[in-house]
Amino acid sequence: VNQKGGCCKTATSMQLSGTLQKAGFSVFVADMDPQNTASLWSLQADPETPFPATVLSLAPLREAFLDKLVSAAKNYQFIIIDCPPAVESPVPWAALMAADLAIIPVIPLMDNVWASKQMEEMVLRARTTRRDRGISGELHAGYLLSQVRRGNVFESCEAALRKQAQLPIFQTRIALRNVYPESQVFGTTVHSLGKSPAVAEFDALGKEVLDMLGVKMPK
């Protein structure tokens, strides 16, 4: 979730879904972006080797999409909600009312850092609202540094985020790599394209997510 467009929400959702599936979990991706990028991504897959997770566009349902996820929760161990890049949409708030974890992808550039503050405030407000309404379960949350590159500009922007952030930042950093958009072309994730540093990045992120949620790896 993040109202900033192009900050890797869909890429994170899709790559993480493949990571969790490879670890032995069943995964459902709810595509809540009207652009349907996640759904189109999955449709690029060869019919003989479909996308590793179930991906379905529920964007037309808006906040009512949660009703559809009730049945999906019976059949999948993880549900990933790819939220739209619009803070005024009712979808991010509805998602935060139901989620166990909110991942806020941020590219270390100042426009991303500025925009992330509004989403951070929404997450903190959602935590209070959940407590007030008696919604069970803690809303974990954290920033994910994405499309990370070397250079003084990126380092200073990352430092600015770390200075102002009221939420933790994942230790895993997702670098800018050609293999990420390449996996879109083939309708898959980096795990299906051979060994690469990108695989190690998302394996590390998957472990952090499981640890944060207190979920053990399947036997």
Side-chain angles (χ1 to χ4, degrees), residues 6-9 11-12 103-109 112 143-149 154 158 161 169 172-177 180 201-202 205:
C7 66
C8 301
K9 289 187 297 295
T12 301
I103 299 176
I104 307 175
V106 178
I107 300 173
L109 295 171
N112 273 247
Y143 286 108
L144 174 65
L145 292 170
S146 299
Q147 292 191 9
V148 176
R149 286 156 278 181
F154 305 106
E158 179 181 338
L161 176 65
I169 299 174
T172 303
R173 298 151 60 90
I174 307 301
L176 180 66
R177 304 185 189 278
Y180 288 122
E201 287 175 351
F202 268 90
L205 177 62

Side-chain angles (χ1 to χ4, degrees), residues 11-93:
T12 301
S13 298
M14 297 296 272
Q15 300 293 352
L16 184 58
S17 73
T19 302
L20 295 172
Q21 188 275 340
K22 185 175 181 293
F25 297 99
S26 56
V27 186
F28 181 94
V29 178
D31 183 358
M32 296 308 302
D33 190 339
Q35 300 177 65
N36 296 323
T37 304
S39 303
L40 293 171
W41 181 334
S42 67
L43 291 175
Q44 304 306 307
D46 188 313
E48 296 185 1
T49 55
F51 190 82
T54 300
V55 184
L56 184 64
S57 174
L58 300 177
L61 299 177
R62 293 171 63 82
E63 65 269 34
F65 79 98
L66 290 177
D67 295 334
K68 289 291 184 181
L69 295 189
V70 172
S71 57
K74 301 174 183 177
N75 302 313
Y76 296 91
Q77 294 164 294
F78 275 91
I79 294 177
I80 298 176
I81 304 171
D82 182 23
C83 290
V87 73
E88 70 276 5
S89 166
V91 171
W93 181 256

